[in-house]
Amino acid sequence: MIIHTAEFIMSLTNITDCPAPVKPEFAFIGRSNVGKSSIINSITERNNLARISNNPGKTQTINYFLINDAWYLVDLPGYGYAKVSKSQRRNFERFIRSYLTKRENLQCVFLLIDSRINPQNIDIDFANWMGEAHLPFVIVFTKSDKNKPEELTENIEKIQKAFLKHWETLPQTFVTSATKDIGREDILGFINEINQSFIPLI
């Protein structure tokens, strides 16, 4: 898939403000500081489409980007650490989960996991919740260029084994690097395949 256009559409904190569900949507979410903005910019080949920050928890709204005037890339707030109050975190969690469970044209959730670190319970718990909610999702391992190849393979296997304690089989996985555009074409091909069969709801 060639990205011809990628434009920011809106930010929101209430799903009633989402665009009409006439185009397929693909949501990106992960633990704070997992490299989500960098991956979005890599996928769209736009350096500043999603705002990159060194401060975890910077994204605090649902952000819509219209790609090729054909589908939406949806940037969700990161879960976990953020410099906000507990009540704000609960509000984030509430509207994120409301979006994920009620957005009828949501085609797939891309769950981003840092390939460099040990398995995190917060990632596993979120994946388990999506499984229980019957949400279609895939796993995207980020920052694959930060470790040596053998270290990368070893750590991804460790994370997968942790997930398999809860799952009989894992969803599809992608290994990515935003700085080297690794995995970009695979993700776009996956999205394009789903878009081919999308039928507008209204």
Side-chain angles (χ1 to χ4, degrees), residues 9-192:
I9 298 298
M10 66 175 68
S11 294
L12 53 94
T13 57
N14 192 319
I15 67 167
T16 59
D17 297 324
C18 289
V22 296
K23 291 179 171 60
E25 295 182 4
F26 299 86
F28 284 67
I29 193 169
R31 191 170 47 83
S32 296
N33 210 30
V34 74
K36 178 163 51 70
S37 295
S38 296
I39 285 294
I40 290 173
N41 290 337
S42 171
I43 289 171
T44 59
E45 294 187 308
R46 304 296 192 276
N47 291 334
N48 300 305
L49 187 67
R51 295 173 60 186
I52 298 173
S53 172
N54 291 324
N55 299 318
K58 187 68 174 180
T59 302
Q60 298 182 9
T61 56
I62 296 177
N63 299 317
Y64 267 82
F65 302 96
L66 180 59
I67 312 300
N68 288 348
D69 199 32
W71 55 277
Y72 289 111
L73 188 159
V74 185
D75 180 11
L76 299 177
Y79 52 79
Y81 173 81
K83 290 184 178 179
V84 296
S85 67
K86 289 183 179 179
S87 62
Q88 284 178 301
R89 291 186 199 179
R90 285 194 294 269
N91 287 336
F92 289 165
E93 180 177 342
R94 188 178 302 113
F95 83 78
I96 289 170
R97 297 196 178 202
S98 179
Y99 166 82
L100 291 174
T101 55
K102 295 180 181 179
R103 194 62 178 156
E104 59 265 42
N105 58 322
L106 176 63
Q107 300 301 293
C108 187
V109 181
F110 290 80
L111 175 62
L112 275 57
I113 296 177
D114 193 329
S115 66
R116 306 170 301 168
I117 62 177
N118 289 326
Q120 302 290 303
N121 287 334
I122 193 170
D123 292 326
I124 296 171
D125 289 344
F126 194 81
N128 289 346
W129 173 80
M130 287 198 291
E132 292 168 1
H134 304 290
L135 293 171
F137 76 97
V138 296
I139 294 174
V140 177
F141 291 107
T142 64
K143 305 182 181 182
S144 67
D145 61 302
K146 304 299 182 182
N147 279 337
K148 296 178 180 178
E150 60 272 17
E151 294 173 339
L152 173 67
T153 299
E154 180 180 344
N155 211 53
I156 287 178
E157 288 178 351
K158 187 187 301 182
I159 296 171
Q160 290 174 327
K161 285 181 180 179
F163 269 84
L164 287 171
K165 292 179 181 178
H166 306 268
W167 294 74
E168 290 185 5
T169 58
L170 289 177
Q172 185 169 347
T173 62
F174 298 91
V175 178
T176 68
S177 164
T179 57
K180 296 186 177 181
D181 286 338
I182 296 172
R184 177 182 180 275
E185 292 298 330
D186 293 334
I187 289 176
L188 286 176
F190 175 80
I191 291 173
N192 187 58

